[in-house]
């Protein structure tokens, strides 16, 4: 019998918990920079304790952008598996700053060389559906045609569907087309990764996600989508001519339809997220005088294992984090 392999998602949860505990102190204070910085510092401290030799493929810019977790940064203690990482210590910095729902701390991991490096691509067009609708949608099909097929796959009327869409000027036409079909919409100002998770989670109240969002967030979400058996179809969608030129110069194709398997190869993938502000599927950090409680999710692609974790933290026993107690 083959010995069971370690579930790296449980290690990643430690990093997302640390980021959430740190940034949650900045909820609603209108300061997204310091909220993000607190999460980055805590996540970096946490990774120093983890047995892995990790390289950040999806981070927050180049090395001169430090102290953010930058692309190419090495994390972990160097003693364990070689992995690629996609990190977002605060996914939804505006949500955190304004005290709105669905700000989360997120990390995805895959074996070294498995993650696509999107280089200078900031935006991609995405269509995310749950497992039941996998294989029945087309990124280039009319909106109404896709919604009809998704509704049929989910055994619903189109009018029963709820579509997650980012509330951006670029989506005015998309929103109108969705409304014309009779489907319902949840508009969110931010939270691209959270939207993808809602689309593949049958208990979220959201049936799919449509529209153009972040490329880094697409790679981050791909690991969770693979673990939950959903599907993401996407294409690089630069919003500025300068971005388009940079993407082409980097060697990326603007015509090819990508999938979660394109963004992250194989099924040996891991995903972890911890709620910061609270929301649809993860509760936010709850503080007490002596500690805090966090709510997290950890996923392993190879086995399809999904763990929901509620953790209680004592400030005095949190290694290293008491020095980053995150008061403003």
């Amino acid at each position: 019998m083959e010995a069971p392999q370690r579930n790296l998602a449980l290690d990643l949860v430690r990093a997302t918990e640390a980021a959430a505990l740190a940034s949650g102190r900045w909820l609603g204070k209108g300061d997204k920079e310091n909220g993000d910085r607190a999460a980055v510092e805590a996540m970096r401290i946490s990774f120093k304790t983890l047995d892995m030799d990790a390289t950040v493929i999806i981070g927050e810019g180049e090395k001169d952008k430090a102290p953010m977790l930058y692309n190419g940064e090495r994390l972990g203690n160097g003693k364990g598996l070689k992995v690629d990482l996609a990190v977002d210590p605060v996914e939804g910095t505006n949500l955190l700053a304004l005290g709105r729902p669905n700000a989360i701390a997120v990390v995805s991991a895959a074996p070294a060389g498995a993650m696509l490096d999107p280089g200078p691509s900031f935006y991609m067009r995405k269509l995310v559906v749950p497992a039941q609708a996998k294989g029945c949608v087309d990124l280039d099909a009319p909106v109404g045609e896709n919604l009809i097929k998704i509704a049929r796959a989910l055994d619903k009327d189109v009018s029963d569907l709820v579509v997650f869409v980012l509330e951006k000027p670029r989506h005015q036409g998309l929103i109108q087309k969705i409304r014309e079909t009779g489907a319902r919409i949840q508009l969110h100002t931010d939270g691209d990764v959270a939207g993808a998770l809602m689309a593949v989670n049958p208990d979220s109240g959201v049936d799919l996600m449509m529209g153009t969002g972040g490329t880094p967030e697409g790679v981050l979400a791909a690991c969770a989508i693979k673990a939950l058996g959903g599907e993401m179809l996407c294409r690089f969608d630069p919003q500025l001519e300068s971005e388009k030129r940079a993407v082409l110069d980097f060697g990326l194709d603007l015509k090819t339809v990508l999938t979660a398997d394109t963004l992250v190869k194989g099924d040996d993938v891991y995903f972890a997220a911890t709620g910061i502000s609270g929301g649809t599927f993860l509760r936010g950090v709850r503080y007490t005088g002596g500690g805090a409680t966090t709510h997290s999710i950890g996923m392993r692609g190879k086995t399809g294992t999904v763990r929901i974790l509620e953790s209680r933290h004592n400030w005095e026993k949190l290694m290293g984090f008491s020095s980053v107690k995150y008061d403003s």
Side-chain angles (χ1 to χ4, degrees), residues 70-71 77 95 99 122 132 164-165 167 172 177 296 301-302:
Y70 55 85
N71 299 343
N77 61 18
L95 301 176
F122 299 132
Q132 302 97 307
F164 179 105
V165 180
E167 190 176 8
Q172 289 181 358
K177 290 176 182 177
S296 306
K302 182 172 285 188

Side-chain angles (χ1 to χ4, degrees), residues 269-289:
V269 298
Y270 303 87
F271 177 89
T274 300
I276 302 173
S277 62
T280 305
F281 61 98
L282 288 173
R283 294 190 295 274
V285 180
R286 289 174 286 170
Y287 297 97
T288 63

Side-chain angles (χ1 to χ4, degrees), residues 134-257:
K134 188 174 183 177
C136 72
V137 291
D138 181 342
L139 187 64
D140 294 318
V143 170
E145 181 178 318
N146 274 326
L147 292 178
I148 289 171
K149 290 181 177 179
I150 293 167
R152 186 179 301 128
L154 299 180
D155 194 24
K156 294 184 175 185
D157 293 330
V158 172
S159 60
D160 295 331
L161 295 178
V162 175
V163 187
F164 179 105
V165 180
L166 290 175
E167 190 176 8
K168 307 293 182 182
R170 61 179 177 267
H171 288 150
Q172 289 181 358
L174 172 63
I175 291 169
Q176 182 59 34
K177 290 176 182 177
I178 294 171
R179 287 172 174 165
E180 287 173 357
T181 69
R184 299 174 294 161
I185 301 175
Q186 274 194 20
L187 291 174
H188 293 255
T189 57
D190 301 274
D192 207 344
V193 175
L197 288 175
M198 291 182 216
V200 294
N201 182 347
D203 299 321
S204 72
V206 167
D207 297 296
L208 68 145
M209 182 176 83
M210 282 183 161
T212 293
T215 299
E217 289 81 357
V219 179
L220 262 165
C223 290
I225 291 168
K226 289 162 72 76
L228 292 173
E231 182 172 47
M232 175 167 62
L233 303 178
C234 50
R235 179 188 287 120
F236 297 120
D237 188 16
Q239 299 297 292
L240 297 173
E241 186 60 32
S242 58
E243 182 190 354
K244 181 178 180 180
R245 289 196 302 270
V247 168
L248 292 173
D249 289 344
F250 192 73
L252 300 177
D253 186 349
L254 297 180
K255 297 181 180 179
T256 300
V257 175

Side-chain angles (χ1 to χ4, degrees), residues 35-188:
D36 195 30
R37 183 176 292 107
V40 168
E41 291 172 355
M43 187 174 279
R44 186 175 275 126
I45 290 171
S46 181
F47 266 111
K48 289 180 180 179
T49 71
L50 301 182
D51 289 333
M52 64 178 69
D53 182 0
T55 301
V56 177
I57 304 299
I58 303 295
E60 297 183 280
E62 304 303 327
K63 189 172 183 177
D64 60 3
K65 297 294 185 181
M68 300 307 170
L69 290 165
Y70 55 85
N71 299 343
E73 182 172 356
R74 302 290 289 275
L75 297 175
N77 61 18
K79 298 179 181 178
L81 299 171
K82 291 184 179 295
V83 298
D84 289 345
L85 288 181
V87 301
D88 197 343
V90 180
E91 204 261 331
T93 53
N94 286 322
L95 301 176
L96 172 64
L98 298 173
R100 292 175 178 165
N102 293 323
I104 58 177
V106 191
V107 178
S108 292
M115 281 189 184
L116 174 70
D117 181 357
S121 174
F122 299 132
Y123 292 96
M124 56 169 44
R125 182 182 167 201
K126 305 171 193 175
L127 173 58
V128 182
V129 297
Q132 302 97 307
K134 188 174 183 177
C136 72
V137 291
D138 181 342
L139 187 64
D140 294 318
V143 170
E145 181 178 318
N146 274 326
L147 292 178
I148 289 171
K149 290 181 177 179
I150 293 167
R152 186 179 301 128
L154 299 180
D155 194 24
K156 294 184 175 185
D157 293 330
V158 172
S159 60
D160 295 331
L161 295 178
V162 175
V163 187
F164 179 105
V165 180
L166 290 175
E167 190 176 8
K168 307 293 182 182
R170 61 179 177 267
H171 288 150
Q172 289 181 358
L174 172 63
I175 291 169
Q176 182 59 34
K177 290 176 182 177
I178 294 171
R179 287 172 174 165
E180 287 173 357
T181 69
R184 299 174 294 161
I185 301 175
Q186 274 194 20
L187 291 174
H188 293 255

